[in-house]
Amino acid sequence: MAFTCFRCPVSFLHEISDAFRNSFLFLSHPARQPRKKGLASLRRIGNAPDMRIITWNINSLRLRMPLLARLCQDTAPDMICLQETKVPDALFPMEDVRALGFDHVVFRGMKGYNGVAILSRQPVSVLEDTPDWCERGDCRHIAVRHGTGAAAIDVHDFYVPAGGDIPDPVENPKFAHKLAFIEEARHWFSAQDMRRTVLVGDLNIAPLEHDVWSHRQLLKIVSHTPPETEGLLKWQHTGFVDAMRHFVPASEKLYTWWSYRNRDWRASNRGRRLDHVWITPDLQPALRGMEVLRDARDWDKPSDHVPVIVDLDV
DNA sequence: ATGGTGGCAACGCCA
């Protein structure tokens, strides 16, 4: 890649136009597996949804490929939005991902850090007209259109900068970058005419009091400081509603991340809700269920984030 | 108040 190109290239699996090959591919993959009973607690009503989307900061796709396979077996998602894939595009494990039944994959990765990917069972097309946030060439956002015409749904997958340790934009350039990122995102989305849009990802901010284990003790901790939480809510209010809080009242604790640095994450339960699912209000009637897969935090060599599942009847 | 762990990639960064 030329040094002058700050934009990471978007790579995607070429559509296979031949009908015979399509049907062969379809048959060569296991049919969509039944939803497993382990999700009995899923906050939903009725039978299988039309579309199950999962967002997960996987913290290295290649290292945790077996966990991704398990996630698919257990939950049979239609689409998975990953963050922190930590894999350059040239090394993306396309064959492994296809073997899980995702024939339509888009990704934007770089060496060592960041990286996002969307895995889909059904065709998607990349939304090309998205900014290079803060002109960094970071791989922190990718978006697709699923379906066509009036039934189309746009899905944005974000990995917001963590922001370092010191909550001061003057002292800490990483914190300044984080604030600039969410401000730029707010501006961009406020200018969009959004319909049937889902925004998911690791937004690295826990905006509500009960999105953290101790509101008082975390007010000066990056991820829960007022400039971040206010900035994130302003971004959300450009046209989204919080789909997770649609199911879990704001008065109830809700976390998606537990630090590696806690000896017993479940006992101490010092969690934060850093991962989010937002939808435009026209999709609110389609909301069928949501689940934070807490058990994934105890899988072998876990990510510090757990998957969040949302079911839509679209 | 401090330090605790993990991934990547190379003996330090980032989270």
Side-chain angles (χ1 to χ4, degrees), chain A residues 7 30 91-92 107 118 129-131 152 165 176 222 235 266 271 274 279 287 307 312-314:
Chain A
R7 189 83 186 252
L91 299 178
F92 191 91
F107 45 83
I118 299 179
D129 285 333
T130 54
D165 287 332
V222 171
W235 174 9
R266 206 185 275 277
L274 302 181
I279 57 168
L287 267 181
L312 297 168
D313 278 339
V314 289

Side-chain angles (χ1 to χ4, degrees), chain A residues 94-110:
Chain A
M94 181 59 82
E95 287 314 308
D96 293 340
V97 165
R98 283 179 67 176
L100 296 176
F102 300 104
D103 285 337
H104 308 277
V105 182
V106 299
F107 45 83
R108 183 176 278 160
M110 57 197 283

Side-chain angles (χ1 to χ4, degrees), chain A residues 158-171:
Chain A
F158 271 97
Y159 175 53
V160 170
D165 287 332
I166 304 162
D168 178 346
V170 178
E171 235 183 296

Side-chain angles (χ1 to χ4, degrees), chain A residues 52 62 73 86 96 149 183 187 265 272 276 285 295 304:
Chain A
R52 171 167 287 179
R62 285 174 293 175
Q73 273 198 333
K86 294 185 176 176
D96 293 340
E183 177 67 4
H187 260 102
W265 71 274
R272 305 178 201 170
H276 297 270
D295 287 351
D304 47 353

Side-chain angles (χ1 to χ4, degrees), chain A residues 54-74:
Chain A
I54 293 183
T55 177
W56 189 23
N57 179 322
I58 194 171
N59 188 14
S60 174
L61 171 59
R62 285 174 293 175
L63 189 74
R64 281 182 244 288
M65 203 65 211
L67 300 192
L68 183 66
R70 175 170 180 181
L71 176 66
C72 292
Q73 273 198 333
D74 288 356

Side-chain angles (χ1 to χ4, degrees), chain A residues 179 182-183 186 205-208 219 223-237:
Chain A
L179 295 180
I182 59 177
E183 177 67 4
R186 179 178 73 79
I205 296 170
L208 306 181
L219 273 171
S223 75
H224 195 61
T225 67
E228 294 170 86
T229 58
E230 286 162 18
L232 190 75
L233 291 175
K234 277 193 207 162
W235 174 9
Q236 183 186 308
H237 296 154

